[in-house]
Amino acid sequence: DGRQSYWWDTPDGGSLDVCVREDSVSVDTHSHWQYVLELYEALCMLEPELLILDRQTAVLFDADSYRLFIQESYARKT
């Protein structure tokens, strides 16, 4: 089906399970969201129009709005 899967053991001891399809990239996240942002920024070099979709809230993010989301989310946890 043209799907490729990748596993990234992130420096914080977590992981990202990445699935690349022809029309999308999905990420199962078990690490700090900063690593999702790093992956996203790397993928944007290949596909500049790429956006992050939070499937739980249906909110779309670019790099700046996702960075702000991370900061605000982790600030609420402390």
Side-chain angles (χ1 to χ4, degrees):
D1 65 4
R3 183 172 55 171
Q4 295 181 330
S5 295
Y6 302 91
W7 186 270
W8 178 18
D9 289 320
T10 55
D12 65 346
S15 62
L16 298 180
D17 184 5
V18 182
C19 182
V20 179
R21 294 181 177 86
E22 183 178 322
D23 62 347
S24 65
V25 177
S26 61
V27 181
D28 189 9
T29 306
H30 300 280
S31 67
H32 193 287
W33 294 336
Q34 176 64 32
Y35 299 109
V36 174
L37 180 59
E38 287 182 24
L39 173 64
Y40 170 73
E41 290 175 328
L43 291 172
C44 278
M45 288 188 267
L46 301 171
E47 193 66 46
E49 301 296 317
L50 191 65
L51 294 172
I52 296 172
L53 168 63
D54 181 332
R55 293 176 56 175
Q56 293 177 341
T57 63
V59 174
L60 290 170
F61 297 96
D62 63 7
D64 293 333
S65 62
Y66 194 69
R67 190 175 290 106
L68 181 60
F69 167 75
I70 292 170
Q71 291 169 355
E72 290 174 350
S73 295
Y74 279 87
R76 283 193 298 267
K77 291 181 179 187
T78 58

